[in-house]
Amino acid sequence: MDGEDRRLDPLKSFTVNSFRLDPGIWQDLVSEEESQVMLNSFFNTQDYWTLFICQHPESGLSFSLHFPKNVQTKVICVSKSGPGVLTKENTRESLIIQEVQGEDALSFIITVSEKVTCPLLSNPETSSTWAAGVAEEALRFMGRQKNEALVMKAHIEGQTFLPHPGALHDDALHDDTQRLSDMKLLHSCDSMIIEWAELVSEFLQQHSSQPVLDGLKPLPSEEFNFWRNRLNNLHFIQQQLMSSRAQQVASIVQKAESVYWSTLRDIHRDVQEGLKEAEDVTLNLTGLQEQLEQVEQVEYQQLGANMAAVMEAVRQVWIQSKFYCEPCRMVVLLQEICNLFIQMSREFLRVEEVMHGLVSDPAPVLDDVRLVIRTLQTFKEAYSQCRTQLESQNQNQCLTQSWDFPSHLAFSHLDKFLTRLHSIQEVLCDSLQLRQLDQTVLSGVSSRMWTDVVQGVYQDFLCHVTDLSQSNCDPTDPDDQSFQLHLDQFQVQVSDLDRRLVSVLSRAFEDCCLSSSAAKLVQMFRLILDRPLIQDQLHPHLIRLVEMVLVELDQTELLFVSQREKSETFSRFSPSAAARLCWTQQLQLRAEEALNSYRTIQHLCVDSGESQLVLQRFQNVVDLLQDFRDHVRLDWSRQLDSDCGFILEQPLIQHSQQGMLEVNCSHKLKGVLRELRCVSREGDVELHPHTARLLTCRDDVTHSYLSLSHMVSCYNQVVMDVLQVELPLIQDQQHDLNQTLSMLQTNTWSCEGVQHLVEQQRERVLMFHSTVCKARANMNDMIGIIQGWAELHLLQHSGESLLEGGASEQSYRQIREEGQQLLLLTQVNRSLYGVEESSESWIRYLDHIDDRLQHGLFQLLLRSLRFLSDSMNPQTCRGPLVAVRLQLQETGSVFEPSVGGDLLKTIITDIYRAASLPARISMSRYDNLQESLQQSPDLIALEQEVMRHVVQVKEEAEHLRAGLDRYSYLWLSDRKEMMQEFLTYSRQLGADKLEAQEAPPTLKDFQREIESLHRLSREVTHLDDVIVLHSWLQVDLRPFRDSLLLIIHDWSHMYTEYLLDSVSDSLQQVSRRADDDDVDDGDDDDDDDKAPSSSLPLTETILLLEAAGVQLPEHLSAQLQC
């Protein structure tokens, strides 16, 4: 259907006028593919009775076969007055077009269905001329549409409506026997129960967290309204389930023992559980709701004092409610409370006052911002206290669950708001600090110039602040990124002002020759110097450098005192004691670097006591570090000796709880070996007896530990990777190996000959590991071979036709050889596992491989048949699959090979024959794999699909052959008989043979027949060489064409041969007559008249033969020359 279809004219006229559209918009709409599908479904089928046209603000004009949701504008409803396909003649009479508002459209659909459509369809007189079942189907469709409208209308009103079956009538309320026998009514009840279950399930799956997930910022009132509405709707659903109609449905399905009786009971159960949940949550949220309502009424200055009460109410909800004590619900509730406090904070700050305070007086606004920050921080602190209380109650074995969810999930939006408030606070602080420049006056040689520069900085700052305050942004909205852009620009501008101030202050510090002058300058700019950029730029100056040296020494000492007892401070890749020693060395280097930095500027110091203070601070740090190092070395020596003694008494290996082997105390042993390596490098650590003993054999222990680790890894790899079917094959070897490994579980590192024992057992484990890995590799090779069959190209073309190639003999040979290889690999694995052929474990192992073999062959056959099916499908084939020739035989035209049911039968047989090539692996299964696979439903379905394509192409091929049978008279007619008729009647006789009169042919008759044959020859010559039928069968017409041209040539030759004979007879008569004249010149004129002559003119006959492309024989040409 396109835009020019006349059936669309009523819709186009009504829609364009109703929505006041440009006709081009309508044309674009009906040109879309999706719109054409909907219009075809409505106009050309009986499945849809209603078409809706609506206009969305975002997507524009659109069609819909179902009522569009969330439409507030008007909707055009197009309905059919009866069943059937709409044509150009009946379109205007059969369509009902009505314009309704979006919110009234559902009521319109319900009213039309109840008052018009359903009575019309249920009237026998109206449907008497319709086909059987059309009225009933249409009535059921309209009933479903009405129910959908009722459900949607209730959904818009916030309720869940449960529709009733259309086949349920009041007169059947008391006839239980008849109702149970009415299968149509039972089916209707079952369908309605399914719809009830979907509606109830959809409602119960609604969560109050959906607005949060949608990116909205809901308030707690929405949470309270959600649960209150949920409770009301559940009561409404329960009332519907307890109604007489619903009880009647329940009685019908129960007495009929329908499978949906349990579904109906589940609906009742879910509704009851939902009621319990909603009642519990609504009851427990009441206290929090009252508390929040009170909080909303207090002044903002008292809000912080109520935060603990709000969080206590939240905690009570968590403790008392059985259904609300879920982390996800608590996170949503906390987010909503945060949204409420953010809203109250924004109302308290007022955007206009914040922006105005930047210019006029930032101090009051700064106080308000700090109040808001403290209030919100109080709320987070109250949350932390409640969380701590819950954790303590949980530790005291109370039943209360703690808040173990991450806090950032609940406070993400609040944190963004606090971040924005901190940015505003920073701007206000900048404004307060830079406002001190208003009365600044510098002294000195260039004081007037530098004072003017400072005043220029101040004026520029006022301009920047004014621009920021005049921006049309909401600074209290954390989602308003435009303010952040202005803020970033302001920060860049302020940074530029800071750099200008640094240049002035640097020159001022350079002009200071006394400490008192520098102190006065610092006092004058005490707030300006607190700015980070200015602090960084003034770093090279005297006071800043001295202070930095002292601070660095203080920080070094503070870092040492605060971090010396924390193990995470030190390197995780070195022993703790060695790392502590290294850390103290780094701290000492840090202190020495600070002292060296001070000595570089020591000549600039005015007060010599400053130098003594720096040296004293440095010596204190060095003494602390040295005492700590001595203490660490002493503790390290004792602890290391204890650890070495413990390691020497431990068994070499042990079994873990999971049944795996592991090196005993592996981590501790590695740590001791690492510490011994560090001790050998440190040199000044005292060695106790156990430490000295283990240090002497550290290399041997390390080598043995690595061997044990490798052995344990190999053993565990075998145990972890073993297949269930392989486990019985190796359990004897594993049992023997475990008995020998028990020696390693009893020997310790202090025993003699440990290294030799470890190497001996390691060789046995590695041999066992190698055997299992080889068997596993063989299994993987077998799986790879079987899986490779699924990618094997079983069929191949030879020339232009699959029939000439068929199944590849190379593929057969590969499958056969790989099948033998599978048998060989199984025998290799049997020798590796060392089992008997008759053992049950080996039989199960072979059955496992045989299952994989059968699956691989199934995939091979499935791929080959699917290749045939896809190659014969016109939508997926890539070129001709099979080639045949059209031959002309005595009986007529025939295809070689024949196009029929046996066309691809041989190929399909060859495909299935591949399943018989490999021998079965299993010793307990004797059935034929080919016969078993031929019973597969998937393969049968594909084979039937192939044969269906063959039947289709056969019909098309017969149609082609029938079209070429128009030339059949050329090979079916008797040329001699036809020539005799022509010579007798000068034409070929048809039905008027009995009425024809004898009339010998003239030369024009011969010319007519010859030219007709020449035209027929040209027509046949232009026949196509090859024709592809059904996109996959290639028909070669050249043999048929060549044979037909030979037949046409024989016909033409028959006429030209007769003309040549005529010419030959005429020349012979002329020659005899000349001879007679020479013998008897005295013959009279009567003798001349009796001389024989041909009936056809000689000269014209010769010219006709030359025009037909026939050359005279040499003897006739010679006679003509004479």
Side-chain angles (χ1 to χ4, degrees), residues 1027-1046:
I1027 295 178
V1028 179
L1029 302 180
H1030 213 260
S1031 301
W1032 64 270
L1033 180 64
Q1034 177 177 298
V1035 180
D1036 188 359
L1037 297 180
R1038 287 173 293 185
F1040 172 82
R1041 184 184 62 190
D1042 296 341
S1043 300
L1044 186 56
L1045 289 175
L1046 289 176

Side-chain angles (χ1 to χ4, degrees), residues 254-513:
Q254 181 182 11
K255 293 182 178 181
E257 297 182 355
S258 172
V259 295
Y260 294 102
W261 167 239
S262 60
T263 304
L264 184 58
R265 288 185 297 176
D266 293 340
I267 294 174
H268 281 273
R269 186 191 68 244
D270 294 341
V271 171
Q272 292 299 326
E273 292 178 354
L275 274 172
K276 294 179 181 178
E277 179 188 29
E279 291 172 351
D280 173 80
V281 173
T282 304
L283 177 63
N284 288 283
L285 286 178
T286 303
L288 176 61
Q289 182 178 2
E290 295 175 353
Q291 183 65 41
L292 290 177
E293 290 175 352
Q294 295 176 5
V295 166
E296 293 184 54
Q297 302 302 322
V298 301
E299 295 292 335
Y300 195 86
Q301 288 77 4
Q302 286 78 40
L303 183 61
N306 292 273
M307 291 300 185
V310 173
M311 283 307 306
E312 179 61 25
V314 174
R315 191 175 72 90
Q316 291 301 322
V317 172
W318 177 268
I319 294 174
Q320 296 175 4
S321 177
K322 296 189 299 183
F323 298 95
Y324 210 80
C325 54
E326 296 180 4
C328 59
R329 290 181 173 175
M330 187 53 57
V331 167
V332 172
L333 181 60
L334 290 173
Q335 287 183 353
E336 293 170 344
I337 296 175
C338 290
N339 295 334
L340 175 62
F341 290 152
I342 291 174
Q343 178 179 317
M344 296 175 64
S345 300
R346 294 179 64 187
E347 293 174 354
F348 169 73
L349 290 175
R350 291 188 297 276
V351 179
E352 298 79 6
E353 292 189 4
V354 172
M355 303 301 286
H356 182 69
L358 292 173
V359 180
S360 59
D361 188 5
V365 180
L366 181 60
D367 293 338
D368 292 342
V369 171
R370 288 173 175 171
L371 173 62
V372 173
I373 293 176
R374 289 196 302 271
T375 302
L376 298 180
Q377 291 290 354
T378 302
F379 176 67
K380 295 185 68 174
E381 292 172 0
Y383 163 79
S384 300
Q385 292 176 2
C386 288
R387 183 168 184 165
T388 303
Q389 291 178 8
L390 290 174
E391 290 177 354
S392 62
Q393 292 177 3
N394 191 22
Q395 292 176 358
N396 294 332
Q397 298 182 353
C398 293
L399 299 178
T400 305
Q401 183 181 0
S402 59
W403 289 344
D404 54 356
F405 53 85
S407 59
H408 69 85
L409 296 178
F411 298 101
S412 58
H413 186 54
L414 182 64
D415 292 338
K416 288 177 61 178
F417 182 66
L418 286 172
T419 302
R420 175 59 60 86
L421 291 179
H422 284 296
S423 299
I424 297 174
Q425 180 183 4
E426 182 179 355
V427 173
L428 294 171
C429 289
D430 291 342
S431 180
L432 279 177
Q433 292 171 356
L434 294 177
R435 282 180 184 276
Q436 294 181 0
L437 301 177
D438 185 22
Q439 303 297 328
T440 300
V441 177
L442 297 178
S443 60
V445 179
S446 303
S447 59
R448 181 63 180 270
M449 181 182 64
W450 300 127
T451 301
D452 293 340
V453 173
V454 172
Q455 292 301 317
V457 170
Y458 174 70
Q459 294 299 327
D460 291 343
F461 168 73
L462 291 181
C463 294
H464 298 329
V465 169
T466 303
D467 293 339
L468 179 63
S469 64
Q470 292 176 353
S471 61
N472 297 324
C473 305
D474 185 357
T476 62
D477 184 7
D479 296 328
D480 187 357
Q481 296 300 322
S482 59
F483 177 76
Q484 187 64 40
L485 296 177
H486 289 288
L487 192 62
D488 294 340
Q489 183 180 1
F490 176 76
Q491 294 293 348
V492 172
Q493 294 168 347
V494 171
S495 299
D496 182 64
L497 298 178
D498 288 343
R499 294 187 184 93
R500 292 165 61 183
L501 286 174
V502 165
S503 63
V504 175
L505 294 176
S506 297
R507 297 296 297 269
F509 276 117
E510 291 175 358
D511 292 341
C512 293
C513 56

Side-chain angles (χ1 to χ4, degrees), residues 166-231:
L168 197 63
H169 304 288
D170 294 334
D171 54 359
L173 289 172
H174 305 291
D175 192 359
D176 295 339
T177 305
Q178 181 179 356
R179 184 167 64 250
L180 289 176
S181 62
D182 191 351
M183 298 306 296
K184 184 184 298 184
L185 178 60
L186 177 61
H187 174 70
S188 179
C189 293
D190 290 342
S191 302
M192 199 53 59
I193 290 175
I194 295 174
E195 185 174 357
W196 291 358
E198 293 176 354
L199 292 172
V200 173
S201 176
E202 180 182 359
F203 169 71
L204 292 177
Q205 289 177 1
Q206 295 177 0
H207 293 283
S208 60
S209 61
Q210 191 59 43
V212 177
L213 298 177
D214 294 338
L216 303 178
K217 303 296 183 294
L219 300 177
S221 59
E222 298 185 28
E223 181 80 11
F224 306 144
N225 294 334
F226 171 83
W227 287 105
R228 183 170 58 254
N229 295 335
R230 187 182 183 92
L231 180 60

Side-chain angles (χ1 to χ4, degrees), residues 652 700 703-704 707 743-744 751-763:
L652 301 180
D700 295 339
H703 184 269
S704 299
S707 298
M743 299 175 60
L744 297 177
C751 297
E752 296 292 335
V754 168
Q755 185 176 3
H756 176 71
L757 179 61
V758 169
E759 291 297 326
Q760 182 180 6
Q761 298 301 327
R762 175 175 172 271
E763 292 298 329

Side-chain angles (χ1 to χ4, degrees), residues 655 661 715 718-719 722 725-742 761 763-776 828-836 839 841-842 845:
H655 278 281
L661 283 181
Y715 180 87
V718 172
V719 175
V722 66
V725 72
E726 295 174 338
L727 187 59
L729 300 176
I730 65 172
Q731 61 183 3
D732 293 339
Q733 301 180 46
Q734 185 180 6
H735 179 70
D736 296 340
L737 190 61
N738 288 336
Q739 290 182 345
T740 58
L741 291 177
S742 61
Q761 298 301 327
E763 292 298 329
R764 299 195 59 183
V765 172
L766 291 182
M767 185 178 300
F768 173 65
H769 174 262
S770 175
T771 300
V772 176
C773 287
K774 289 179 181 178
R776 184 73 47 73
V828 171
N829 279 4
R830 188 180 69 83
S831 62
L832 288 173
Y833 288 128
V835 296
E836 298 292 336
S839 64
S841 58
W842 179 249
Y845 182 77

Side-chain angles (χ1 to χ4, degrees), residues 103-104 120 136 194 392 451 459 482 591 640 649 708 742 748 785 845 850 858 916 951 1040 1058 1115:
E103 59 271 12
D104 297 333
L120 180 65
E136 291 79 358
I194 295 174
S392 62
T451 301
Q459 294 299 327
S482 59
L640 182 58
E649 300 300 326
L708 281 176
S742 61
T748 64
I785 290 173
Y845 182 77
D850 191 77
F858 171 76
S916 64
V951 172
F1040 172 82
Y1058 180 83
H1115 66 281

